[in-house]
């Protein structure tokens, strides 16, 4: 009986560039409402690139925090890093990747922050405690400070900030440390907001040395004890986050003019989550702090004014 030759394996057909950007937009809008609002203040090309970056970051985070995270192994992250290399080589593997490949053709986005973020997810595979803030800082840099670096490449730098004659031969200042600081500030925000959720998963992201400093135990943490010790500990953590926000603000001036309003908006709205935590008497075990939509909209003109004068 004549046998027909086997057909070559079919390549996976991916969506178009525009369809991929829409997938990234929907993902951003669903999971990062405050962040998404800030992106709407950008021009279309920049906002789409930011959506593509966020979608990759979100999917990376889902590997260790999502519904199927129990199945994630170091080998899973090895494969994810190989897929990242493929994206940067111009070969998307999944529908979401198509948009990121397109964004990479428009902006000088470096691969290293993406690799560093995967390294942060590796930390989540084997760590559920951090003894010191120095240890936590490394984690925060990897999972969030990296986003500041990725985004700065899209936001762009204002080359006219230093216009005095004695500055003309200088390279434009790139606010790298400030971008990292904003990412870390937002991650500290998330840690304080998500204390209850993390506790239910057996995780403590507040440094253990800080718990000891305020005589607050792990047992107290998992019982959700809110007392004067906890309030003092939370005030200490919130002040640390504010310090990183302050450091980040110094760099916004150096961003391209059309990027300042969105970044100020995102920074101010995230900072307001800390205000809500305070109004909730620091109970983050049974209440999730969030900024209502009306307050977000009311913040926009104030963020715009800051973007014009600072």
């Amino acid at each position: 009986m004549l046998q027909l030759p086997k057909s070559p394996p079919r390549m996976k057909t991916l969506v178009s560039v525009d369809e991929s950007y829409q997938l990234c937009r929907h993902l951003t809008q669903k999971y990062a409402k405050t962040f998404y609002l800030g992106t709407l203040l950008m021009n279309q090309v920049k906002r789409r690139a930011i959506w593509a970056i966020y979608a990759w970051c979100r999917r990376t985070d889902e590997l260790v925090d999502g519904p199927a995270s129990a199945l994630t192994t170091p080998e899973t992250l090895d494969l994810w890093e190989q897929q990242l290399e493929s994206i940067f080589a111009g070969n998307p593997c999944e529908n979401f990747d198509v948009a990121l490949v397109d964004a990479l053709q428009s902006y000088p986005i470096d691969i290293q922050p993406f690799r560093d973020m995967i390294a942060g997810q590796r930390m989540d595979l084997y760590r559920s405690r951090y003894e010191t803030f120095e240890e936590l800082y490394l984690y925060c840099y990897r999972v969030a400070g990296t986003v500041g670096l990725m985004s700065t490449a899209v936001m762009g730098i204002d080359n006219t900030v230093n216009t005095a004659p004695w500055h003309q031969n200088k390279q434009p200042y790139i606010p790298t440390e400030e971008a990292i600081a904003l990412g870390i500030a937002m991650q500290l925000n998330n840690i304080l907001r998500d204390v209850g959720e993390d506790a239910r998963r057996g995780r403590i992201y507040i440094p253990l040395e800080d718990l000891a400093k305020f005589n607050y135990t792990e047992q107290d943490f998992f019982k959700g004890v809110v007392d004067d010790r906890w309030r003092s500990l939370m005030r200490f953590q919130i002040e640390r986050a504010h310090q990183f926000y302050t450091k980040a603000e110094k760099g916004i001036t150096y961003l391209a003019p059309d990027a300042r309003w969105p970044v100020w908006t995102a920074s101010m709205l995230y900072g307001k989550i800390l205000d809500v935590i305070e109004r909730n008497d620091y109970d983050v075990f049974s209440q999730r702090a969030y900024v209502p939509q009306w307050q977000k909209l009311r913040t926009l003109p104030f963020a715009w004014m800051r973007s014009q004068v600072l």
Side-chain angles (χ1 to χ4, degrees):
M1 182 176 178
L2 181 64
Q3 291 187 351
L4 297 176
K6 293 183 179 180
S7 301
R10 282 189 173 184
M11 298 297 291
K12 183 179 179 181
T13 302
L14 300 178
V15 300
S16 69
V17 171
D18 286 339
E19 289 171 326
S20 181
Y21 275 121
Q22 284 303 308
L23 290 174
C24 295
R25 180 179 74 84
H26 289 308
L27 192 70
T28 308
Q29 185 179 25
K30 179 177 180 180
Y31 291 104
K33 293 179 174 56
T34 298
F35 181 77
Y36 177 72
L37 178 61
T39 67
L40 296 181
L41 304 176
M42 304 175 189
N43 67 53
Q44 184 180 21
V45 178
K46 287 186 178 182
R47 85 168 64 118
R48 287 182 7 141
I50 294 296
W51 293 339
I53 291 172
Y54 175 84
W56 184 88
C57 294
R58 177 71 196 188
R59 290 157 58 228
T60 302
D61 183 69
E62 286 285 298
L63 293 175
V64 296
D65 281 335
S69 59
L71 302 176
T72 297
T73 65
E75 290 72 28
T76 306
L77 295 178
D78 289 342
L79 291 173
W80 190 250
E81 190 158 2
Q82 291 176 23
Q83 184 168 320
L84 172 69
E85 301 283 350
S86 180
I87 292 170
F88 271 78
N91 302 311
C93 302
E94 300 180 16
N95 288 332
F96 285 99
D97 301 339
V98 175
L100 185 53
V101 168
D102 184 72
L104 291 173
Q105 296 174 6
S106 301
Y107 297 102
I109 305 172
D110 184 30
I111 193 174
Q112 191 57 46
F114 293 80
R115 291 179 178 139
D116 290 344
M117 176 169 282
I118 295 173
Q121 308 309 319
R122 293 185 192 279
M123 294 173 76
D124 266 334
L125 286 182
Y126 65 88
R127 296 198 69 163
S128 60
R129 307 284 193 281
Y130 291 88
E131 291 290 338
T132 67
F133 179 69
E134 286 71 25
E135 293 178 2
L136 181 66
Y137 178 91
L138 175 61
Y139 173 76
C140 289
Y141 161 72
R142 287 177 170 174
V143 301
T146 51
V147 181
L149 297 179
M150 299 171 194
S151 302
T152 299
V154 175
M155 300 292 183
I157 304 302
D158 184 1
N159 294 325
T160 67
V161 172
N162 295 325
T163 56
W166 50 87
H167 287 147
Q168 288 181 356
N169 295 325
K170 288 187 176 181
Q171 292 294 321
Y173 178 73
I174 300 177
T176 301
E177 292 300 318
E178 293 87 345
I180 293 172
L182 183 56
I184 289 175
M186 290 180 171
Q187 182 62 22
L188 294 176
N189 240 83
N190 292 343
I191 287 172
L192 299 181
R193 180 196 63 194
D194 298 338
V195 160
E197 178 182 337
D198 290 330
R200 289 187 287 275
R201 298 163 68 182
R203 293 182 179 180
I204 303 177
Y205 285 102
I206 296 175
L208 298 184
E209 67 175 3
D210 292 348
L211 267 66
K213 180 177 181 179
F214 291 91
N215 196 31
Y216 192 87
T217 67
E218 291 191 34
Q219 291 74 20
D220 294 326
F221 184 89
F222 289 116
K223 290 178 181 178
V225 175
V226 177
D227 57 12
D228 288 342
R229 296 171 302 154
W230 174 254
R231 295 183 186 96
S232 297
L233 171 61
M234 285 294 287
R235 281 192 287 268
F236 180 79
Q237 303 301 318
I238 288 173
E239 175 56 30
R240 174 182 282 155
H242 280 309
Q243 290 173 4
F244 280 97
Y245 277 117
T246 299
K247 180 177 180 179
E249 289 173 0
K250 299 175 182 178
I252 300 177
T253 302
Y254 294 94
L255 296 177
D258 65 345
R260 295 173 196 160
W261 187 19
V263 176
W264 269 116
T265 298
S267 177
M268 292 173 68
L269 289 179
Y270 263 86
K272 287 185 179 299
I273 294 174
L274 301 176
D275 297 337
V276 176
I277 291 175
E278 291 175 338
R279 287 200 298 272
N280 289 344
D281 196 28
Y282 307 100
D283 180 7
V284 284
F285 294 102
S286 62
Q287 301 181 70
R288 182 180 173 86
Y290 70 95
V291 180
Q293 186 69 12
W294 65 267
Q295 193 170 0
K296 292 179 181 180
L297 296 176
R298 195 174 70 174
T299 301
L300 293 179
F302 294 100
W304 181 84
M305 285 188 288
R306 283 193 173 187
S307 72
Q308 301 304 304
V309 299
L310 295 178

